């Protein structure tokens, strides 16, 4: 199962759109803009726990442990300005 490997193994050969779902990309962009999970949930019309689950999956795929690392990755990839 490829999801058990941190993203660092794939980022040079696959664009973010191929590694994350559309919804995960939305969450990544909002995290990178400094939004809190509660605000992301309201903005996307989803529950707080759902956003926490998306964030956990994103961190696992990236092989990171914090929202800051997700935000830094998103900036590096040009997903946010």
């Amino acid at each position: 199962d490829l999801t058990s490997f941190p993203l660092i193994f794939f980022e040079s050969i696959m664009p973010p759109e191929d590694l994350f779902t559309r919804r995960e990309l939305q969450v990544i962009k909002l995290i990178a803009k400094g939004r809190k999970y509660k605000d992301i949930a309201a903005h996307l019309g989803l529950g707080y726990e759902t956003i926490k689950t998306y964030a956990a999956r994103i961190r696992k795929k990236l092989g990171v442990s914090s929202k800051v690392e997700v935000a830094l990755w998103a900036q590096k990839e040009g997903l946010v300005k």
Side-chain angles (χ1 to χ4, degrees):
D1 178 18
L2 293 179
T3 60
S4 63
F5 290 96
L7 184 65
I8 195 157
F9 292 112
F10 303 105
E11 66 182 358
S12 63
I13 58 172
M14 296 177 75
E17 295 80 18
D18 291 344
L19 296 168
F20 297 99
T21 66
R22 180 183 62 82
R23 185 66 85 186
E24 287 171 340
L25 286 169
Q26 288 176 315
V27 172
I28 288 169
K29 290 174 184 178
L30 292 167
I31 288 172
K33 290 180 179 180
R35 304 281 291 269
K36 296 179 180 186
Y37 292 158
K38 184 175 87 172
D39 298 331
I40 294 171
H43 180 77
L44 297 178
L46 299 171
Y48 173 77
E49 292 297 324
T50 301
I51 297 304
K52 283 179 50 178
T53 300
Y54 277 120
R57 277 193 222 141
I58 291 163
R59 289 192 310 274
K60 182 177 179 183
K61 286 182 180 183
L62 288 174
V64 301
S65 59
S66 73
K67 288 170 41 170
V68 171
E69 292 171 297
V70 172
L72 290 172
W73 176 85
Q75 289 175 349
K76 180 179 145 254
E77 291 296 315
L79 296 176
V80 292
K81 297 181 186 204

